[in-house]
Amino acid sequence: GLDYASTDTGMLDGSEVPVMHGCGHDTHVASLLGAAEILAGNQDAWSGTLVLIFQPGEETAAGALAMLEDGLWDRAPRPEVVFGQHVMPRPVGTVSISSGPVAAMADSLRVTVHGQQSHGSQPQDSIDPIVMAAHMVTRLQTIVSRELDPRKSAVVTVGTFHAGLKENIIPASAEFTLNIRTFDEEVRGQVLTAVRRIIEAEAAASGAPGPKIEELYRFPQCYNDPDAVPSVLEALRDALGAESVEVTPPMMGSEDFGHLGTAIGVPSVFWMFGGTPGAVFDGPGPVPVNHSPFFAPELEGSLAGGISAAVAVLLSRLGN
């Protein structure tokens, strides 16, 4: 409904679909450019070496690794600390930050279930991959509810399910994809082991060939160094006001920013700044979230908050 709404399309699984930049990375680029302009115009206010990173490909966990593999820290001076920020559905002018885990690890898998094709009128001659995969999907939900200590966090999501071409044909295979979120390596291992056990056991129970399980991508944990957070928190509160800065629990979303610091053993700090007008955030309707087709950060407010937060934190480290 906006005058600048995307009209582009792309191909996904053989179908043409509408596309937009729905996570806010354009806002991040603009905010960092704005911060760079301010710092470049006030060079008497700071000293040291500042490296600005415009990282692509966060959505598929590929961008940070690609930059590292391309020699990021051989091309640029190695930092003492790495900072990052992300626009979120928070009121403009506010910031949230966590100490320790910020975002979850994520594992995405594609599962191909092999059965035996037959006509729908002759199910006795089939191994039905749809029924088999449906049992897998249902049983996978018991990992969190019945196998995991309720004091620990995990999410198991089946995001896609594809099978068959005709309503009266039992197909030879079915495919579904999984996304798994965890904060702890031990929990991650437990969940991934259970996923494989359930999928393979359901196939065996159906008398089917072994299923194929492929890793699509993995996000690392995004972790805020507890020793580096206090100075960042102080700088944000000084710049935006104490009432505008909230210390929050980690989110179940994922972010590959964590690779940039861990690759060279330096601390990192990541925070979220608001992009939603206060009237929308406090209004009666649902607040559009990242990746919603209605997610549209307010231009002036988002940039003002993102630039102010970035400049404040950088000057807290580099200021004279």
Side-chain angles (χ1 to χ4, degrees), residues 32-76:
L32 189 52
L33 286 171
E37 184 176 19
I38 290 173
L39 292 170
N42 295 272
Q43 294 185 36
D44 292 340
W46 63 282
S47 61
T49 301
L50 174 62
V51 177
L52 303 180
I53 302 174
F54 296 86
Q55 181 211 306
E58 178 265 334
E59 305 300 346
T60 56
L65 285 176
M67 296 189 83
L68 293 170
E69 290 168 359
D70 195 42
L72 170 64
W73 297 130
D74 297 322
R75 297 166 180 256

Side-chain angles (χ1 to χ4, degrees), residues 16 133 183 312:
E16 187 176 45
F183 288 118

Side-chain angles (χ1 to χ4, degrees), residues 36 39 66 77 94 126 152 214 218 229 236 238 243 265 271 303 306 309:
L39 292 170
T94 69
S126 76
K152 298 179 180 179
E214 304 168 83
R218 180 192 176 192
V229 167
L236 291 171
D238 288 344
E243 71 285 352
W271 61 89
L303 294 184

Side-chain angles (χ1 to χ4, degrees), residues 80-107:
E80 298 173 359
V81 62
V82 185
F83 296 125
Q85 60 180 10
H86 200 299
V87 67
M88 294 294 279
R90 298 182 51 83
V92 292
T94 69
V95 167
S96 66
I97 188 171
S98 305
S99 183
V102 180
M105 293 177 283
D107 293 270

